[in-house]
Amino acid sequence: MKGVKPAFVTMVVACLLICASLSYAHFGVIIPSDDIVAGSESKEISLSVKFVHPMEGVYMEMAKPKKFGVFCRGKSEDLTGSLVSAKAEGPCQGGSCTYWTATYTIKRPGDYIFFVEPEPYWEPAEDKYIVHYTKVWVNALGMEEGWDASLNLPIEIIPLTRPYGLWTGNVFQGLVLVNGKPAPNLEVEVEYMNGSGDDKVIPPADPYITQVIKTDSNGVFTYAMPKAGWWGFAALADAPWKLKHDGQEKDVEIGGVVWVRVVDMK
Ligand SMILES: [Cu+2]
């Protein structure tokens, strides 16, 4: 292929292989620059909003989210207008992948829950749409209150473990609500947001990429995080609604996704 750089060809081939074999573990992502804002001064934080395969570091195209916002002290604030598009820096499923960034100034103490409702993503490999309602917490200015609030999403993880200030090896427990009701026996996928270079974890076999757990009879799941960094939890269900693709009714996978950060004890 004249004029095409070999590195680019390698990347495309690698992505085709990765995406074909592992297209199931998609995760909505919101990662803030700070998960804990200490002290007493206001601070501007930045957030990135993505749709990825976290362990493989592969991006998917993400259309401008339907809604992006923050919930704090019982009030929801719409931040959709603050989203700025960016181009994926890593391998991308489909050639050109967009993700989104935003900044937000934390002024008052409390727990801030950032959330996103994406546009439905059409996944040809699975013949269905995917909608991941994603949340992340930022604890600010010394007040720990509100992290267990529900945002009344169609599917949602309510943390039973405080979702920040976590050590490596801690367990994380969450209650999964579907339509506001506990969801027993539901699958929850867990993935590590992999690093690059020396920080990259190399899974020895495919089952290590996505950890799979289930909720118990009360809709509760438990997982112990073995490594410092960001961990994503995706509770997955079939939506009670369908969406049309090329005129045909298709299934919709809804995910309640959360991200928590774990730090080594030293
Ligand atoms: Cu994918």
Side-chain angles (χ1 to χ4, degrees):
M1 286 199 275
K2 217 174 165 189
V4 179
K5 290 203 178 90
F8 176 74
V9 174
T10 309
M11 207 169 89
V12 169
V13 170
C15 183
L16 285 175
L17 292 172
I18 291 166
C19 302
S21 60
L22 303 163
S23 59
Y24 48 88
H26 303 78
F27 279 71
V29 176
I30 311 178
I31 301 248
S33 54
D34 305 72
D35 58 324
I36 298 173
V37 176
S40 57
E41 306 271 297
S42 352
K43 185 174 186 189
E44 185 182 89
I45 63 163
S46 59
L47 300 116
S48 54
V49 179
K50 303 173 178 178
F51 190 48
V52 301
H53 299 204
M55 190 63 152
E56 294 123 295
V58 175
Y59 285 75
M60 255 93 42
E61 168 65 8
M62 188 179 198
K64 183 166 190 185
K66 252 188 198 164
K67 198 169 177 192
F68 171 64
V70 64
F71 183 87
C72 182
R73 294 168 173 256
K75 276 194 208 135
S76 183
E77 196 181 334
D78 188 356
L79 305 173
T80 315
S82 73
L83 289 169
V84 176
S85 72
K87 281 280 158 239
E89 297 109 3
C92 157
Q93 187 177 331
S96 160
C97 291
T98 310
Y99 74 96
W100 299 86
T101 63
T103 56
Y104 183 81
T105 304
I106 303 263
K107 295 187 185 124
R108 302 175 68 200
D111 288 326
Y112 291 73
I113 311 177
F114 291 89
F115 61 91
V116 67
E117 179 189 348
E119 288 290 346
Y121 175 85
W122 172 247
E123 178 53 73
E126 297 176 59
D127 197 38
K128 66 183 180 190
Y129 281 97
I130 300 174
V131 181
H132 281 183
Y133 302 87
T134 306
K135 303 194 291 190
V136 74
W137 295 265
V138 175
N139 168 251
L141 310 176
M143 189 168 112
E144 298 181 14
E145 204 174 295
W147 52 262
D148 56 354
S150 166
L151 307 184
N152 298 314
L153 301 169
I155 180 166
E156 182 169 9
I157 293 173
I158 306 296
L160 302 178
T161 308
R162 189 192 57 186
Y164 49 80
L166 297 166
W167 297 117
T168 307
N170 274 20
V171 298
F172 181 71
Q173 271 197 321
L175 165 67
V176 179
L177 299 179
V178 175
N179 222 349
K181 291 192 188 72
N185 206 35
L186 198 73
E187 204 158 283
V188 179
E189 294 184 339
V190 185
E191 268 196 43
Y192 180 66
M193 182 60 79
N194 212 343
S196 52
D198 287 348
D199 286 339
K200 194 170 178 176
V201 176
I202 315 267
D206 284 357
Y208 291 91
I209 295 168
T210 309
Q211 301 294 309
V212 179
I213 51 187
K214 289 182 110 177
T215 58
D216 66 12
S217 56
N218 298 311
V220 172
F221 68 85
T222 306
Y223 182 76
M225 296 148 297
K227 187 175 165 63
W230 284 96
W231 286 87
F233 296 83
L236 303 170
D238 290 324
W241 65 86
K242 307 259 179 204
L243 285 172
K244 282 210 162 141
H245 182 76
D246 290 341
Q248 280 188 310
E249 300 248 299
K250 296 292 183 182
D251 289 340
V252 181
E253 172 195 286
I254 48 173
V257 184
V258 299
W259 285 87
V260 298
R261 181 168 172 251
V262 179
V263 171
D264 281 340
M265 246 183 159
K266 23 183 182 199

